[in-house]
Amino acid sequence: MIGRIGKQMIGEGAPSCAVVGAALLVLGAGSHVAAARPAQRAQPTKAALPAVVPVSAPARAPAGASAWSEEIYRLGREALAKASFETAVRLFRILESEPAWEGNASYAFNRAQASRYAGKIGEAVYWFGRYLALDAAASDAKSVAEQIAKLVPAAPKDVRATALERARLEYARLVEDAELARALDEAPRVGLEVRFTRIAASGAETPSTAFLFPARVVFWAAPEADGAESGWQAWITPTVPVAAPEDLNAPALLFLPPGRPFRVALGADLVSKPTLLRAPAPRYFPADPALEAWRIEVVATLLKTGPPLLVAARGNGGSGSAGGLMADVHSGPADGLVALGRKRRDVPREATPIAFGPRLARPDAKTFPKQLVVVLDLPGKDGDLERWGTPIGQLDIVNRFGRMSAGPRGEPRLHVRDAADGPFLIPLSS
């Protein structure tokens, strides 16, 4: 039956029909092989199978669904009812990228059931969670939640693997937006030093090893006033899942997802202070009380190998005490303090990469006493580079997302451009 439909769809000539038709031919071939060699396929016991696979939401196809997708959904439900669970999973997977089925509770429930009885516990947990998110008032919501609570401890490694794969897929889908992908590509690179720490009931912390992960800085908040302690606040997003190693015996869902920024305070030399984060349960996965006993400590270091951090004068000449002026610098990148000279020049209006810093100005400097100074290399009259410094509050970051705004439920959004309807990222917290 599946193979016949596949041949018909290939014959229709439309690209989407041809692709799905080919997929159905493969599924059809697989079902014939399974029928010819039943002894080679492990069959669940009758006690493990549902007498009738329940469908909690109407079986109607969602609005906008194409005829071929309705047929695939019907075949998937038939395979599910006949206990051909692997075939049902493969058929339902074909519909996953179809917008019409994305928000369909019936599809999510049946996909979960097929995955559950095919032994794909992580996928079952994810799709049951998605079903509850789509239909929180479902009559079987309590029993489904109870089922999820039994599945997670039964297969933690499978749940972890599925959660990490879903995080990667969501990030890949996020950066399909060309504007968002370009902005992330132009954002400065960050090295994340991460420790996963378990906090005992006594308050003592378990020593842990640091691991390195790649990330990007997507948003900066400049200090409102100049001073020794007023550095930049930066929103940083990992570009891969930041996951605890398996040998740590951490909860299955302990990781930071890519594409979800969090805030750190940058100190001297653009290295952040240690920041403690709590890992929320990934979307559509159940809340795990065990996560409360764990913290994720991150230290972010701006990498000089990636796109440079670009700065320019803030507003109309800046708001610092020197009125938008810079002083020449007589110290090098490895020096602890910045030694300032007497020469002056205006803060640059154009985007300019930083050379090193911010660093504290020399305590006895009369120009910027005890202030954080950003140091820039700028071309002089003869074309040679000259080193200049100005208080951190004089400058704005140029290569960052355009703005921050609040979403429908008050959650922060970081926008690529100043318009509120542009591509955006939703941070982990405010």
Side-chain angles (χ1 to χ4, degrees):
M1 174 66 176
I2 295 175
R4 177 175 60 80
I5 293 174
K7 291 178 182 177
Q8 289 176 351
M9 297 183 77
I10 291 175
E12 290 179 10
S16 59
C17 289
V19 171
V20 176
L24 290 177
L25 275 176
V26 173
L27 291 170
S31 64
H32 288 311
V33 171
R37 294 181 292 177
Q40 297 183 13
R41 185 175 179 181
Q43 296 288 344
T45 63
K46 289 185 179 180
L49 300 178
V52 177
V53 176
V55 180
S56 296
R60 297 190 304 271
S66 59
W68 64 262
S69 69
E70 290 185 35
E71 184 63 14
I72 290 174
Y73 183 57
R74 186 186 67 78
L75 289 171
R77 294 181 75 248
E78 281 187 6
L80 184 56
K82 293 176 181 178
S84 298
F85 302 121
E86 288 285 353
T87 299
V89 168
R90 293 174 188 172
L91 286 163
F92 289 141
R93 277 179 181 165
I94 295 173
L95 302 178
E96 182 172 345
S97 59
E98 291 296 312
W101 295 92
E102 199 170 32
N104 184 265
S106 175
Y107 166 75
F109 182 86
N110 284 297
R111 173 93 185 256
Q113 286 285 63
S115 299
R116 172 189 173 193
Y117 289 105
K120 305 179 188 301
I121 304 304
E123 285 193 26
V125 170
Y126 172 82
W127 286 102
F128 275 135
R130 195 157 173 170
Y131 165 69
L132 293 179
L134 291 168
D135 191 2
S139 58
D140 59 352
K142 182 179 179 181
S143 62
V144 169
E146 291 172 350
Q147 185 63 239
I148 293 174
K150 295 176 182 177
L151 291 174
V152 173
K157 289 186 177 181
D158 197 17
V159 171
R160 169 192 164 94
T162 300
L164 292 175
E165 181 60 22
R166 283 287 157 188
R168 293 187 190 97
L169 290 173
E170 287 189 15
Y171 183 68
R173 190 169 180 178
L174 189 72
V175 296
E176 285 178 359
D177 186 295
E179 190 175 4
L180 186 58
R182 175 196 56 76
L184 285 168
D185 191 53
E186 294 177 356
R189 292 177 187 170
V190 171
L192 281 184
E193 184 179 296
V194 183
R195 286 182 172 85
F196 300 89
T197 303
R198 189 177 187 277
I199 302 174
S202 61
E205 297 183 0
T206 304
S208 59
T209 305
F211 303 90
L212 295 177
F213 295 87
R216 299 274 183 165
V217 186
V218 296
F219 195 81
W220 306 75
E224 294 298 325
D226 300 323
E229 301 299 325
S230 56
W232 280 306
Q233 299 287 316
W235 291 88
I236 294 173
T237 180
T239 53
V240 298
V242 176
E246 290 191 40
D247 58 8
L248 259 173
N249 295 320
L253 301 178
L254 181 67
F255 69 94
L256 295 176
R260 295 293 301 276
F262 51 83
R263 186 171 58 185
V264 300
L266 290 179
D269 293 334
L270 297 178
V271 177
S272 78
K273 300 175 182 178
T275 302
L276 287 178
L277 303 171
R278 293 188 179 187
R283 189 164 62 140
Y284 302 130
F285 286 86
D288 185 358
L291 291 175
E292 292 298 317
W294 288 79
R295 295 293 182 271
I296 303 178
E297 181 187 277
V298 298
V299 175
T301 302
L302 193 78
L303 301 179
K304 301 297 184 179
T305 56
L309 178 59
L310 302 176
V311 295
R314 173 186 286 186
N316 298 319
S319 57
S321 59
L325 293 178
M326 309 183 78
D328 62 323
V329 173
H330 295 167
S331 52
D335 297 336
L337 298 176
V338 176
L340 301 175
R342 295 182 178 181
K343 292 171 60 178
R344 301 288 182 268
R345 68 176 292 173
D346 292 334
V347 176
R349 306 292 182 192
E350 296 78 22
T352 306
I354 65 168
F356 70 91
R359 292 270 180 86
L360 282 176
R362 195 174 185 85
D364 60 353
K366 296 180 180 179
T367 308
F368 309 126
K370 297 183 180 181
Q371 296 185 56
L372 279 175
V373 174
V374 179
V375 182
L376 312 176
D377 283 341
L378 302 174
K381 294 181 179 179
D382 299 327
D384 296 331
L385 288 180
E386 298 176 350
R387 185 153 286 181
W388 298 85
T390 192
I392 192 171
Q394 302 275 23
L395 300 170
D396 268 338
I397 308 297
V398 175
N399 52 337
R400 66 174 182 176
F401 277 33
R403 62 173 291 179
M404 179 182 288
S405 69
R409 294 179 296 277
E411 72 280 10
R413 288 180 172 180
L414 304 176
H415 294 264
V416 166
R417 42 189 157 89
D418 287 336
D421 60 346
F424 62 86
L425 298 173
I426 299 178
L428 286 173
S429 64
S430 58

